[in-house]
Amino acid sequence: MTRKLVLFDIDGTILLSAGAGRRSIHAAIAGLDGVKEDLPAIRFDGKTDPQIVIELLTAAGHPSPREPRVISAVLERYVGHLEGDLAVNGHRSRLMPGIPQLLDALETEGGILLGLLTGNVEPGATLKLRAAGLDPSRFRVGAYGSDHPDRPCLPPIALKRAEPIVGRTMRGDEVVIIGDTPADVHCAASIGARTIGVATGGFSVEELEAAGADQVFQDLSQTPRALEAILY
């Protein structure tokens, strides 16, 4: 019987892609009509891909930054650029400390359903996981930036997708969301999930604690401690 749905963020939590995502989304936007030649620097962490596209287009002066057709076209171009970038630079991708061991331990534990809760569009998530040496099929549930541009809307989607696998409707307190940004922590409130912050991205332990994470780790390299925090 499934007792926990464990949802991992990708960038900064599971892996780093050595800048492939940023290069690819910039390449997808560069050259669009109405866009300045030099794209502004914005933070990507904690945001969904559609949100990043909207912010970049807005800052670059595009006349219709929120037009769904424009966003979809940019994201389609982005996935193509990402595939090409990772084909060349994918060997530079790396898993965060302790991730392989923790995933193995969770799968061995039993009663755990592994999933993703990420701002990546689904094809981008798949490309990044494979480049880092992880089989995407290990994560049987997913909620992605391609499902909704607002991150707080993703946990309910993940819960709904878990139903046919689990055979029942899981409660929010049976869900654990693991991420490296305050946005990962805050989105859990939409279903009342527990949160584990990990300071392997761009935010410190103190910042993740201030965001309200139930537990925070510098990294997930101490498998027994991380496992205990998840199963608590």
Side-chain angles (χ1 to χ4, degrees), residues 74-134:
V74 171
L75 289 172
E76 185 175 349
R77 284 160 54 93
Y78 157 70
V79 172
H81 283 293
L82 182 63
E83 185 173 16
D85 191 302
L86 290 175
V88 176
N89 300 305
H91 65 283
R92 297 169 58 197
S93 298
R94 63 185 177 91
L95 297 176
M96 295 290 90
I99 286 295
Q101 297 85 353
L102 180 57
L103 292 177
D104 288 345
L106 287 168
E107 289 173 331
T108 302
E109 179 69 26
I112 304 296
L113 180 60
L114 289 180
L116 299 169
L117 196 150
T118 173
N120 284 278
V121 292
E122 186 172 2
T126 297
L127 287 168
K128 288 181 179 181
L129 290 170
R130 285 180 176 156
L134 283 182

